[in-house]
Amino acid sequence: MQDYSFMTTEEIFLLQDALKKNKKQIMKFILIGLTLILIAAFLPQFFLKRRLSEEEIEQSVFSYKNAWFWTWLLSFVLVLVFALIKVTDVRYFTIKKDLTALQKGQIQVPLETIYQGNNDMQTSFIVKQEGIRKRKRLFYWMRGKLEDFRSGEEVKIVYGRYSRVILAIDKV
């Protein structure tokens, strides 16, 4: 059974900083999506106007007046943005939940796997929890590259309850 306690002011500021970084990442993905919409909407029109008449363009699949074109385009970009968020381990909503609940957990376990992500802006740790159900859990260090830890080392991790963002990590 996991015990949870309330966060200190410093830990709240660490989570708020992680939230800002995640918000910037989401905004970047939305801008990528909007750019793709602009390119996908105007580039086909440019080529169609050079080769077809106005009547043929309006009947084309790439016409602005075609509802399926907009449905396909917006669905594609929406899926792309969410895929980018999922692939890069953006923890925005769970960090917001942590900032509402203000609960932290503490665990002492051996590290199983360590890897760098988001252009070395984040270090992720996979640990194997012993107990009734043996399971692997992923924890996130959101403050850059962390190189002092190796697989197999016993560590004590203080983390946000819902987001599993690491607030403090120490070797035991």
Side-chain angles (χ1 to χ4, degrees), residues 15-153:
L15 274 180
Q16 287 174 338
D17 185 50
L19 187 68
K20 286 179 191 174
K21 289 178 183 176
N22 277 263
K23 194 173 190 178
K24 285 181 186 176
Q25 194 80 347
I26 290 173
M27 292 307 294
K28 183 170 65 172
F29 295 151
I30 289 172
L31 288 174
I32 289 170
L34 291 174
T35 303
L36 285 174
I37 285 177
L38 290 174
I39 290 170
F42 292 111
L43 197 61
Q45 293 295 318
F46 175 73
F47 288 110
L48 289 175
K49 284 183 181 178
R50 297 177 78 195
R51 295 188 174 97
L52 303 174
S53 68
E54 284 295 322
E55 189 175 302
E56 291 173 322
I57 292 173
E58 287 182 16
Q59 294 175 357
S60 169
V61 175
F62 297 107
S63 172
Y64 293 136
K65 295 179 181 177
N66 188 343
W68 289 111
F69 170 73
W70 290 107
T71 303
W72 171 84
L73 183 63
L74 294 175
S75 298
F76 171 75
V77 169
L78 188 65
V79 167
L80 177 70
V81 168
F82 280 109
L84 286 171
I85 289 170
K86 181 65 176 168
V87 168
T88 56
D89 287 331
V90 172
R91 312 292 300 165
Y92 182 80
F93 295 107
T94 55
I95 293 173
K96 282 191 77 99
K97 192 172 183 179
D98 273 342
L99 285 170
T100 303
L102 296 177
Q103 291 183 335
K104 65 180 178 181
Q106 185 172 334
I107 190 169
Q108 185 172 334
V109 291
L111 295 175
E112 189 166 300
T113 309
I114 303 158
Y115 67 93
Q116 311 296 323
N118 288 342
N119 297 327
D120 292 336
M121 297 297 293
Q122 171 181 323
T123 304
S124 299
F125 298 94
I126 295 178
V127 300
K128 191 171 189 178
Q129 283 184 296
E130 297 295 327
I132 297 170
R133 297 180 309 216
K134 294 180 182 180
R135 66 180 185 190
K136 295 180 182 182
R137 295 194 68 191
L138 183 62
F139 292 89
Y140 307 91
W141 177 261
M142 303 292 289
R143 290 171 269 161
K145 199 172 187 178
L146 197 60
E147 296 179 345
D148 295 341
F149 296 92
R150 303 283 176 251
S151 295
E153 289 181 334

